[in-house]
Amino acid sequence: MSRFLARTAYAPELPDYELLPFNFARLNEQETVATNLAGEMLVLPNATVDALVNHTLSIDDPAYVSLRARHFLRLPTDKSPIDLLALKVRTRYARLEHFTNLHIFVVSLRCEHSCPYCQVSRQSEDRESFDMTPEIADRALDLVFRSPSQSLKIEFQGGEPLLNFEMIKYVVEQAKARNLVARRDLAFVIATNLAPITQEMLEFCREHDILISTSLDGPADLHNKNRPRPGKDSWERAINGITLARQTLGVDRVSALMTTTQSSLPRVKDIIDIYLELGFTSIFLRPLSPYGFALKTKSFAAYNTDRWLDFYKSGLDYILEINRAGIAFAEDYASLILTKMLTSNDPGYVDLTNPAGIAIGAIVFNYDGGVFASDESRMLAEMGDNTLRLGDVQTSSYEDIYLSDTLLEALESSFTLSVPMCSDCAFEPFCGADPVYHHATMKDFTGRKPESEFCRRNMAIFKHLLRLMSSDKTTAAIFQRWANRC
Amino acid sequence: MLETCQLLFDKACHSYDDVQRAAYKFIDRCSVVVSVGDSQIVCDVELDEKCTQSVDLISQQIRKEVLDQTLRSRIRSETEDVRNLILAHAFSRTGLANSPE
């Protein structure tokens, strides 16, 4: 018999621990991911989770300290875990009390492009009946300034919003005039294909500190195939526009978004290379959404979730390779998720919020005065589904819009903490409700999650990110940087 | 002819709710009728025509999921008070929670 006793022999007599609320999901035959109410996460051996729930976990277990530190268990004498968890939960939902921040003004439905995947039905360039009028803009601004949010962002969309630049100028000037009294943190963004941009427009953007967000689908041949316009020069115009906008506004005032079409699938490296060559520090690898022209032209059905996930994972591998070679470059969707996984911040990305971000995070004022719960909601309306049209700026009050039965029903019935499968999903803190997607695909705000492509795509990405993070320390360090970019 | 199987769960070990939650996760591959007998909860499983998995594999996965759901319900019930306390505490100063009349 040994003269020496084990460490446990010297441990004080501890009472049995109590569990704190958490969910778990099996990652594979060996590992489980567990998350608590605040979204704090641990990857544990399967046996540890079983022992934890059965109250047989030993204080000597390597996971015991982490489980106690991250509030998965507490001793009856511990007082602070409840207060700390409450504080962290409050931080996680802090954005809710600010209410609507993003206000989208569709200043024109006209567009000179005819992209088959376009998510809004566009009209030919010369039909001014599809432009927003000053009366509608004034009434929409009344509603913007009713938001209690200290930060107000106005984003101009289309169609191509630059085709009605006079209305952009009007809204910016009127909003700034109102803000002399309201004193909010006002910001402006123009989402544009940059084809009609002029130096005069850019001077106005500089004067009013307006950000530019443009579309860039990859190399010239792919971009021009995805985004046809008269002259077949969409890419050339976008590149010239990016260069000009950067010269006038500054490099960090111009961002770009890509959309994945069937033609993009074999070319993820080419797409990323173009973003690198142009000096962007990140790329957002985005799938097509089941709305608007993407459905009408069958672009959305051209590839399935598995094929898109292959594309996404190859892209992520390539981006990690670039980072390992010493170039800082991020993938934006992964960054959003990692921010939620690894920090206490919630970036508030509308697809990944609960309650859903419709209306209470972002709202849309259409060119004709229609008010929509989200950009996707107005895309549905262009297809004839007006379910999420919340009112009209000319006839509806703020209360009519934000207390409408349709909006409240969509928010309540998609609330993930009470949705079948979401409510006990370990990935719930990182995911979102997205009632509009489920309404569009299943005619049901809640959605049957076992059959939901939204659920399947996001679950696959969450698990993939966890796998990558645990596979090597360099990747984990890169992901930490992405999560703490802001 | 669609493939079917019957799974039995001891009522003393599992609740109807746990079995139903587990079955729900498989509705993209099969339909499941959950009923309660004297001492057992009965799952009648019928694979969808499009299902590519074998009935044995689905049965195995449902059994494992029922075990996980049983653990989850233990966590839920043991942490109910503290969960409500934390959420009430978290929202106590936001103005979003209902104040007592």
Side-chain angles (χ1 to χ4, degrees), chain A residues 45-66:
Chain A
N46 285 342
T48 302
V49 176
D50 298 348
L52 171 67
V53 180
N54 291 321
H55 288 261
T56 56
L57 189 74
S58 156
I59 190 171
D60 265 357
D61 192 289
Y64 188 96
V65 173
S66 303

Side-chain angles (χ1 to χ4, degrees), chain A residues 142-351:
Chain A
D142 291 344
L143 296 168
V144 172
F145 282 90
R146 282 289 306 272
S147 170
S149 177
Q150 179 55 34
S151 303
L152 296 175
K153 183 185 276 184
I154 294 178
E155 180 171 310
F156 298 103
Q157 287 201 14
E160 169 47 52
L162 294 184
L163 294 180
N164 191 9
F165 194 69
E166 285 308 307
M167 183 47 54
I168 293 179
K169 283 166 73 176
Y170 180 80
V171 172
V172 169
E173 283 162 358
Q174 291 297 317
K176 289 185 95 168
R178 290 173 188 236
N179 203 39
L180 292 174
V181 177
R183 296 191 175 277
R184 309 291 182 92
D185 303 324
L186 202 52
F188 301 98
V189 182
I190 303 176
T192 167
N193 61 42
L194 284 174
I197 197 87
T198 63
Q199 188 60 41
E200 191 190 343
M201 290 174 181
L202 284 169
E203 292 300 336
F204 181 84
C205 292
R206 179 167 61 186
E207 187 187 339
H208 296 281
D209 204 16
I210 301 173
L211 290 166
I212 298 288
S213 171
T214 193
S215 298
L216 184 67
D217 280 4
D221 64 312
L222 177 63
H223 180 98
N224 285 335
K225 186 178 176 191
N226 283 353
R227 304 179 60 79
R229 77 179 299 283
K232 298 176 181 170
D233 59 352
S234 176
W235 191 83
E236 289 73 11
R237 282 173 177 261
I239 299 302
N240 288 340
I242 290 169
T243 309
L244 204 60
R246 281 175 165 175
Q247 283 167 359
T248 313
L249 308 176
V251 173
D252 62 330
R253 311 300 287 167
V254 184
S255 62
L257 280 174
M258 62 79 64
T259 300
T260 310
T261 62
Q262 192 176 19
S263 309
S264 318
L265 294 175
R267 303 192 57 186
V268 71
K269 287 187 179 182
D270 296 342
I271 297 167
I272 293 165
D273 283 342
I274 282 292
Y275 273 71
L276 272 171
E277 279 170 32
L278 289 169
F280 288 107
T281 54
S282 67
I283 188 168
F284 198 144
L285 298 173
R286 295 191 313 161
L288 278 170
S289 305
Y291 311 107
F293 265 61
L295 271 190
K296 279 189 197 167
T297 59
K298 299 192 170 38
S299 303
F300 173 68
Y303 58 85
N304 62 22
T305 301
D306 287 336
R307 186 65 193 90
W308 184 81
L309 282 168
D310 287 344
F311 167 86
Y312 182 79
K313 288 175 185 175
S314 314
L316 205 52
D317 282 348
Y318 185 51
I319 291 170
L320 287 170
E321 213 177 283
I322 290 164
N323 279 271
R324 285 192 203 99
I327 300 165
F329 188 81
E331 198 287 312
D332 290 328
Y333 196 61
S335 300
L336 289 166
I337 294 165
L338 290 164
T339 303
K340 296 181 87 171
M341 279 183 171
L342 302 174
T343 76
S344 57
N345 295 328
D346 184 345
Y349 181 64
V350 175
D351 290 3

